[in-house]
Amino acid sequence: MKDTPMRDGYGKALLELSRLHEDVMVLDADVAKSTRSEWVKQENPSYFLDCGISEQDMVGTAAGMALAGLTPFVSTYGVFLAGRAWDQIRNTVCYNHLNVKLAGAHGGISVGPDGATHQALEDVALMRTLPGMTVVVPCDAIETRKATLALYDHPGPCFIRFGREAVPVITDEDTPFVLGKNRLVCDGSDMVFLANGYLVHQAMRAAEQLSAEGISARVVNVHTVKPLDREDVIRHASETGAVVTCEEHQVIGGLGSAVCETLSESVCVPVERIGVQDSFGESGTPEELIDKYGLGVDSLCAAARRAVQRKTSR
Amino acid sequence: MFQEQKIKEIARQIRRDIVTMIHAAGSGHPGGSLSAADLLATLYFTDQFRCDPSSPNWAERDRFILSKGHTAPVIYSVLARRGFFPPEELLTLRRFGSRLQGHPKKDATPGLDCSSGSLGQGLSIANGIAFALQRRGSDARVYCLMGDGELQEGQAWEAAMFAPQHGLDNICALVDYNNVQLDGRVDEIKEVQPLREKWEAFRWNVIETDGHDVSAIYSAYQAARACKGRPTVILAQCVKGKGVSYMENSAKWHGTAPNDEEYAQAMAELEVEA
């Protein structure tokens, strides 16, 4: 299957949901073409509402819709959804525990040429701290579709985050997706990559490369950052004794933080965190940026070696 | 049905409740609560607002969103006097374990339609409810009470663009225009006037009224209901702290509780026939 943007999976799921459920309402803030919510507008316009360039108002409107029984899917760029409308999400959506689904598009540095203002690198951290919020970061277009469908069946506030670029499709229709449950991608015994989003694919490539060096790397897809599948994270950390977290996000506050929080309360193992190191991004091709900001396969392999080294030198 | 004398008496009772519960709590926001007492008494205690205290979540009820959430005491008093919960509970305002949180919490208090407290958000929420009600063909109406200082929030105007865009005529915004906010006079801090021209420019049906003349307020609600195809905003000229002489038009009483002596004076004033 050719490389596909994850947002295509989101659009596909919205189409299916709007065909099946009268309570579904898809909202966007003037980026419907980008988020693929436009697909619903084209096929089923009464289920679509463009709120204009008004993210805070859009979230509040969605909250009102949820209060009156609809299930709104709110789509826009993750930077502006999680960032600009954070207070609305906190004090209205989460405090009322409303059934609002938030979709943050253009997550991560691979957004590329648009530059730093449009590359969501803090969205997972912002959403993860909110009481009652579910946070999902799928790895490809197929998983994004499944995750979006799963969120419809999961009452309460949810945030799903996906990227802009066409990326490899590494799951298929039969690959299981269970909200809140990690998925073992490939087994290994020396260390484990706990990854989500596009970085699952990077971790798979790194595992192959490490295998040639004699390091047996395990890859686990931690698509649900909140609630974190704690027991599974602890099990992989215990069994392999060395952890590398991988995400297209700041190392502060996202998956790496969630894993460290969990492990610091349970098992003592070395953890290396792959992610953006407390900086803004910039313009460039996705490949250039992935490389420069330490999200490339070489960086993952180096982190794995460090983690294994720290384990054996203790 | 509208009985002027009855509404005036209820409004005075609401004012006594407001002062009493804030005095008991030792903190809270009397000024804006007193300001809105007549608007809410005229809404909840006439035929203008459809609700059922025995079934607070009835799907076909009218909705009320208190966008200026710090004036929680006024809606708490209204809901208690309307029968949603016992008035004795008003004395638990702001206390640990109380159903009456410092700012409205939907799940805590029967009859509340939404939590609030972060200013500028209520109209968006009201719009979303109104949109959903219209979509399913319900004739229920949505009311949203905003402060004038609150109109300094940008989101209020984002929301103001939404309702006319979608022809929502089941929504009625109320602006409690008392020209006082926490730090001082609205016109000296960041002027929100001209309000009629602003709302008209945003394509709303605008009704101006004296916010303490219950007869005029009732007529405004009727006129809002009669307006079809676009939303209505009622600009209510109010006095912050209305009914307690030393609180009137004073920013000091935006968020201060009266001491025992002040409380006694306020209650004496509120016993007098309006």
Side-chain angles (χ1 to χ4, degrees), chain A residues 10 59 62 72-76 81-82 89 93-94 100-104 127 130 133-134 151 157-162:
Chain A
Y10 177 65
V59 169
F73 282 76
V74 178
S75 337
T76 186
L81 183 58
I89 296 171
V93 173
C94 289
V100 174
K101 312 306 174 190
L102 305 162
M127 293 296 101
L130 294 173
M133 179 67 87
T134 296
L151 293 187
C158 300
F159 180 77
I160 181 168
R161 189 249 208 174
F162 45 85

Side-chain angles (χ1 to χ4, degrees), chain A residues 98-218:
Chain A
L98 296 179
N99 193 30
V100 174
K101 312 306 174 190
L102 305 162
H106 285 35
I109 201 134
S110 59
V111 167
D114 276 345
T117 54
H118 283 55
Q119 296 160 348
L121 295 175
E122 302 81 19
D123 51 335
V124 173
L126 286 167
M127 293 296 101
R128 194 170 73 85
T129 56
L130 294 173
M133 179 67 87
T134 296
V135 180
V136 186
V137 184
C139 70
D140 66 9
I142 290 179
E143 190 166 274
T144 303
R145 173 184 159 270
K146 288 178 192 162
T148 306
L149 296 175
L151 293 187
Y152 176 80
D153 292 321
H154 183 76
C158 300
F159 180 77
I160 181 168
R161 189 249 208 174
F162 45 85
R164 176 185 189 282
E165 289 299 298
V167 293
V169 178
I170 55 178
T171 64
D172 59 36
E173 297 304 335
D174 297 328
T175 310
F177 175 86
V178 182
L179 198 63
K181 290 290 168 202
N182 295 340
R183 186 174 62 82
L184 180 67
V185 176
C186 67
D187 209 356
S189 54
D190 295 329
M191 58 79 58
V192 60
F193 286 113
L194 298 175
N196 65 21
Y198 170 61
L199 271 284
V200 174
H201 179 247
Q202 297 288 79
M204 290 163 67
R205 289 171 62 201
E208 275 179 32
Q209 199 163 308
L210 289 164
S211 149
E213 300 173 22
I215 295 176
S216 167
R218 185 180 294 186

